[in-house]
Amino acid sequence: MQQDVRVHSTAQIAGHPIHPMLVPIPIACFIGALLTDIAYVASAEIMWANFSAWLLLVGVIFGWLAAIAGLTDFLGNRLVRAQPPAWPHLLGNALALVLATLNVLIHTRDGWTSVWPTGLILSAITALILPVTGWLGWAMVYRHGVGVAR
C-alpha cells in the first residue's frame, strides 16, 4: 500500500538524496571482491587477491559515506524510522559494513592467508546480506516513498 505523504531525505544535494547515489559503489565493490576472492582461490594468482583488497577498500570507504548519509536520513526524520523496513535495512547494512571493514583487515595479510578461508567467507556473507538489505531499501523507496520528490 502506497502512502500519500512522501518522506523526504534529510541528506540531499539540490533535492537529490545522497544515500541512494552512493550505495551502488559499495555493492559493486563487495560483489566484485567475492568474485575476485573466488578467482584467487581457484587460480592462486596473487593479482586476484590484490584486486579483492582494492575492491574492499573502495567499497568500505564509499560504504561508510553511504552509511553516514543513510543514518542522517534515519535520524533526521521520524517518518523514515517509522517505515517497517527501516530498522532491518539499517541493521543489515551495518552488519555488512562491519564485516567488510573486518575483511579489509583480513585482506592485508600476505598471499593465501589474505583470502582463504576467512577472507572468502567474509566476502560471501557480505554479498549474501546485500540482496536482503537492497530489497528492504527498494521497499522504502518504491512502497513507502522515502526520498521520492514529487
Side-chain angles (χ1 to χ4, degrees):
M1 182 168 130
Q2 186 110 10
Q3 277 182 246
D4 292 325
V5 176
R6 297 291 174 192
V7 182
H8 295 286
S9 177
T10 304
Q12 54 182 293
I13 297 173
H16 300 284
I18 297 170
H19 179 71
M21 284 192 271
L22 293 174
V23 293
I25 298 167
I27 291 170
C29 288
F30 296 154
I31 297 206
L34 173 61
L35 295 175
T36 54
D37 279 351
I38 291 168
Y40 177 70
V41 170
S43 70
E45 177 61 47
I46 196 68
M47 167 190 70
W48 295 114
N50 292 336
F51 286 168
S52 293
W54 282 106
L55 284 165
L56 286 166
L57 182 62
V58 171
V60 164
I61 290 168
F62 278 91
W64 282 106
L65 292 173
I68 291 167
L71 193 59
T72 301
D73 290 343
F74 185 82
L75 296 175
N77 190 335
R78 66 177 176 75
L79 296 174
V80 172
R81 292 188 302 275
Q83 304 308 313
W87 280 98
H89 179 72
L90 173 99
L91 295 174
N93 282 327
L95 176 61
L97 193 52
V98 167
L99 292 174
T101 302
L102 178 61
N103 205 5
V104 167
L105 299 174
I106 297 298
H107 275 75
T108 62
R109 297 178 184 168
D110 288 334
W112 189 253
T113 60
S114 71
V115 176
W116 183 255
T118 311
L120 180 61
I121 292 168
L122 288 173
S123 290
I125 293 170
T126 301
L128 289 171
I129 292 170
L130 296 177
V132 175
T133 59
W135 179 271
L136 294 167
W138 174 90
M140 289 180 65
V141 172
Y142 292 102
R143 288 191 181 156
H144 302 284
V146 175
V148 175
R150 286 198 184 177

